[in-house]
Amino acid sequence: SQSRYTIFRIYGEGNTATVTKSQMVSDFNSMFEGKQLINFDEGHEGPGASGHMINNKLKGLVTGESMVINKKGIPQYVIRNVAQWVTTGNYVDSIKLDEDDRRACVVNFGIDGQKFEEKWWEEYYQWAESDEGAGALYAFLLEWDTSRGGFNPKGHAPFTAAKKMVTEAGRSAYEQWVRDLLEEPDSRLLPILKGAVVVTGKQLAASYKAGDETERSVHALTIALGRVLASLNVPRIEIKVGGAKERVWIIRQEARTWDSERLRKAFCINQGRIIVTGK
């Protein structure tokens, strides 16, 4: 993140800002006002509620044409959003990205284990503060032909190997488990549910609990996994079994085109073969 120093000098001290995770989750955002380049630095925390919140906030800040400024003690007001955003961090889960994210370009700088000596940094800062430093870089950027390689400023950011790593690292344990389930159902289901096409939320929760030994109750796991399944648009339907209604998830892609009667029969094959304990 120290390499941002040269870019900051190009924009000017008054036009740049570095913000932390605590500032990103705060309701007050006066530090964003009038800035052209904002660096969100070291947001590492791992998957969690704040990661989702920051991700959603960044979406509006990156693409929104206006910004609501909230300062202590005065009414909110709207300004034009001219800020460009860059995030930096030493951890692969420093930021949470959606699975279908189109905004973020992720670049991995340096080599793992490689460190620059103090002498290198001394020479770097001398260069950055000289006429050959920030000024030379600024001239280079102004003259760079952005049409090279078919660059489109409104196009989707490339899905690089680095972006794939960041996306996967930002998943919660529940998200990763559900994705593994949908990719290879039998690898996550209890043995007695092998081959199941449709399952209840409690059956999924019991399968998760058996493999993770979590202390969370089946009821809590049913809710948590259900939220992930819904966010991934996994079909949940209601079928009748013996006159009673049962809500089930269709966990195999090929079964999403089946009619309700075929799904009911597939469910009955597994129904009653598992006893779920816990509340």
Side-chain angles (χ1 to χ4, degrees):
S1 59
Q2 287 175 295
S3 57
R4 64 174 176 253
Y5 179 76
T6 313
I7 301 295
F8 273 27
R9 280 181 55 79
I10 292 175
Y11 280 85
E13 183 178 351
N15 300 316
T16 61
T18 298
V19 297
T20 62
K21 182 178 64 180
S22 61
Q23 291 171 311
M24 285 298 298
V25 300
S26 172
D27 291 331
F28 301 105
N29 62 351
S30 59
M31 75 289 294
F32 300 163
E33 186 174 10
K35 305 303 181 186
Q36 289 182 285
L37 179 63
I38 303 176
N39 174 209
F40 173 36
D41 189 38
E42 294 299 353
H44 171 68
E45 180 185 18
S50 65
H52 285 281
M53 191 274 283
I54 290 174
N55 179 35
N56 290 331
K57 179 179 284 189
L58 277 173
K59 291 178 184 177
L61 292 170
V62 168
T63 60
E65 295 184 358
S66 61
M67 182 187 303
V68 178
I69 298 298
N70 184 17
K71 293 184 179 180
K72 292 182 180 181
I74 65 173
Q76 297 181 1
Y77 55 93
V78 179
I79 64 170
R80 182 187 174 198
N81 182 9
V82 297
Q84 301 170 63
W85 283 82
V86 60
T87 67
T88 51
N90 292 317
Y91 298 91
V92 71
D93 59 350
S94 289
I95 185 173
K96 178 173 176 56
L97 297 178
D98 293 336
E99 301 293 333
D100 59 349
D101 176 82
R102 299 184 297 272
R103 297 172 174 85
C105 176
V106 181
V107 181
N108 184 27
F109 290 99
I111 302 174
D112 289 342
Q114 181 187 61
K115 291 184 178 180
F116 293 107
E117 301 297 331
E118 183 177 346
K119 183 177 182 297
W120 189 95
W121 286 110
E122 290 176 354
E123 293 176 351
Y124 163 69
Y125 283 119
Q126 289 178 2
W127 172 85
E129 294 175 359
S130 69
D131 292 339
E132 297 179 8
L137 178 60
Y138 184 37
F140 170 80
L141 293 174
L142 286 175
E143 295 173 1
W144 182 261
D145 183 5
T146 57
S147 65
R148 295 175 59 176
F151 173 72
N152 178 7
K154 295 184 178 180
H156 296 173
F159 194 82
T160 61
K163 184 171 184 176
K164 183 176 185 292
M165 286 196 308
V166 171
T167 303
E168 291 176 349
R171 294 172 184 166
S172 69
Y174 300 134
E175 290 175 303
Q176 188 58 56
W177 190 89
V178 169
R179 287 190 170 276
D180 292 341
L181 169 78
L182 297 176
E183 184 174 335
E184 185 56 53
D186 291 341
S187 70
R188 289 291 176 261
L189 293 174
L190 288 167
I192 55 176
L193 290 173
K194 183 177 180 179
V197 172
V198 285
V199 290
T200 66
K202 285 186 176 181
Q203 288 175 329
L204 290 178
S207 297
Y208 184 97
K209 193 175 180 68
D212 190 73
E213 297 184 353
T214 177
E215 294 182 358
R216 297 198 68 178
S217 68
V218 168
H219 176 71
L221 288 171
T222 300
I223 295 174
L225 295 174
R227 287 172 177 166
V228 177
L229 288 159
S231 71
L232 295 177
N233 297 315
V234 176
R236 184 185 182 189
I237 65 168
E238 193 174 80
I239 59 178
K240 287 186 177 181
V241 180
K245 293 181 180 180
E246 188 76 52
R247 291 180 178 177
V248 295
W249 296 97
I250 303 175
I251 59 171
R252 296 187 191 267
Q253 182 69 34
E254 64 272 19
R256 296 189 180 188
T257 58
W258 292 7
D259 59 35
S260 58
E261 178 59 20
R262 188 176 180 185
L263 289 169
R264 186 191 68 78
K265 290 180 179 179
F267 175 72
C268 288
I269 294 175
N270 292 283
Q271 178 70 356
R273 297 174 62 190
I274 173 174
I275 301 175
V276 178
T277 59
K279 296 181 178 181

